[in-house]
Amino acid sequence: MESVTKNPIPYPVSLGDRGRFVIPVEVRERHGWEKGTPLVSIDTEDGFLVMSADQALELVRASFKDRDPVAELLAERRQEAERENNDRT
């Protein structure tokens, strides 16, 4: 999946009285979003993102592409256990 900031295309939208906004038809068509498509919203320091659940899953997978989170977690736990053992002695 491409970066969420690569080649952004701005679309003017406005918030309705109940906090709703309409995603422009061009965006829905480009992403293949139809009525009932599960969407995910992500609030970041840089702004508010909307993407399909499948796109969000792909974004998470890409963020772990060159990492082994299980090995990282095990290494952290081993370091913590070693610190605790050293503190006791």
Side-chain angles (χ1 to χ4, degrees):
M1 174 179 218
E2 291 183 358
S3 168
V4 293
T5 59
K6 187 174 183 179
N7 302 321
I9 303 169
Y11 290 93
V13 296
S14 60
L15 229 53
D17 62 344
R18 296 180 62 191
R20 296 179 182 177
F21 64 92
V22 175
I23 298 172
V25 67
E26 296 90 358
V27 174
R28 297 191 314 260
E29 287 176 350
R30 186 160 50 93
H31 292 283
W33 298 345
E34 298 175 349
K35 180 180 179 181
T37 299
L39 300 176
V40 175
S41 58
I42 302 171
D43 188 14
T44 74
E45 291 179 8
D46 296 324
F48 188 74
L49 306 171
V50 178
M51 62 185 71
S52 72
D54 290 339
Q55 290 169 318
L57 180 59
E58 188 60 33
L59 184 65
V60 170
R61 285 183 176 149
S63 71
F64 287 102
K65 180 181 175 190
D66 297 321
R67 296 178 55 200
D68 184 352
V70 174
E72 291 174 18
L73 180 62
L74 288 172
E76 280 180 30
R77 296 297 180 242
R78 287 185 184 113
Q79 288 174 349
E80 288 175 17
E82 187 175 322
R83 278 194 298 271
E84 288 176 8
N85 285 338
N86 291 338
D87 290 344
R88 290 182 190 154
T89 56

